[in-house]
Amino acid sequence: MTTTPQKAAPRRIILDCDPGCDDAAAILLAAGSPDVELLALTTVAGNQTIEKVTSNALRVLRVAGITDLPVAMGARRPLIRPAIEAAPEIHGETGLGGLTQEELPEADIALDPRPAAQLIVDVVMREPAGTVTLVPTGPLTNIALAARLEPRIVSRVKEVVLMGGACREGNATACAEFNVENDPEAAHIVFEEPWKVTMIGLDLTYQARANAAVRERIRAVGTKPAELLSRILDDYAENYRVWRGFDAPPLHDPCAVACVIDPTLITLRPAPIHVELKGALTTGMTVADLRRPVKGECHTIAGLGIDVDRFWDLMIDAVKRL
Ligand code: PIR
Ligand code: CA
């Protein structure tokens, strides 16, 4: 008798995002990967206003050919701090580079009437314990609200794999990464709750650069989703070049999805991580204690590196499948 190797069941995720050029890539990766099942998509104000990022999520879903996904709009502003200043210099006025509403209409999906935090709670409580992974790629407001709304989700989710934070330099400030810096109190809640949290931070995402060769590989796929992604990435690259002096822009958010698809892509190191809330210069910094040995139980893990070639293969394979 021959045994065929059993393929692992797809990882079931809720993607909480603020699209955003790289969030758009994360949506396409999650939608196209056979190893991920999207249970819901929720939005949070960050790269653009809540209205714009929610519209963008629906626009990207249309290109991905997804019509039956629960999508809910989430927090319009951080828990405590003032409303977020969007990042149009990097993500464009619409949030998807120069891509207009006329060029790319929204998917025919009615928004779920529940606030994002409620949808997250409902999905996690409905599904079997230990089966749902939360993948936040924007400020952590919705996730923190969900944990406060229904504390039982903390022991019920499989894990949280988030794009945010950094062990070394920041991007919003010298020390703080944009998603954490914009709602540090929410990030504090997420890092302090005793669930497993994997931080896919800038140290890692700065390695995943969408250079011209990669963008050409994506364009060469030749399908509509590939064309959309290459358009978005060209605008994103140009903005990063003008505003940050990067020759190739880091594609942050899909790295978190990639970590869920195949953790062997990522160099992971257990490390206590805490969010600075009252620094004179460092508010929003994720202070990761990378000293060895790690003392006692550690529920937080820092992602330090990524296998870039395999990451792009995953991304391109997912786009091809859409
Ligand atoms: C990226 C982001 C915000 C500002 C800049 N300059 C670059 C967004 C990305 O969508 C990602 O989730 C995270 N925040 C990276 O800091
Ligand atoms: Ca984002």
Side-chain angles (χ1 to χ4, degrees), residues 95-140:
L96 288 182
L99 212 75
T100 64
Q101 188 77 39
E102 292 70 52
E103 285 173 281
L104 180 60
E106 294 175 6
D108 200 7
I109 297 176
L111 277 186
D112 193 288
R114 289 168 284 188
Q118 185 69 58
L119 178 61
I120 293 168
V121 164
D122 290 349
V123 171
V124 171
M125 297 311 289
R126 175 194 76 199
E127 297 297 327
T131 63
V132 179
T133 297
L134 303 182
V135 185
T137 63
L140 290 151

Side-chain angles (χ1 to χ4, degrees), residues 220-307:
V221 172
T223 59
K224 272 259 172 267
E227 191 191 308
L228 168 85
L229 183 59
S230 80
R231 269 281 313 270
I232 290 175
L233 291 185
D234 285 347
D235 292 351
Y236 183 64
E238 178 61 10
N239 292 340
Y240 252 103
R241 193 185 63 73
V242 169
W243 293 94
R244 295 283 160 90
F246 281 61
D247 53 2
L251 204 58
H252 310 281
D253 293 338
C255 296
V257 178
C259 181
V260 174
I261 293 172
D262 185 357
T264 71
L265 256 64
I266 311 286
T267 309
L268 296 165
R269 167 113 70 103
I273 302 172
H274 301 284
V275 179
E276 176 63 273
L277 295 179
K278 43 186 190 302
L281 301 167
T282 53
T283 299
M285 179 177 182
T286 44
V287 180
D289 187 350
L290 295 172
R291 293 172 298 170
R292 293 190 219 253
V294 179
K295 294 192 199 78
E297 283 286 295
C298 183
H299 71 104
T300 50
I301 298 171
L304 297 176
I306 184 163
D307 182 332

Side-chain angles (χ1 to χ4, degrees), residues 18 22-23 47 137-138 179 253:
D18 63 334
D22 57 326
D23 299 82
N47 288 323
T137 63
N179 293 344
D253 293 338

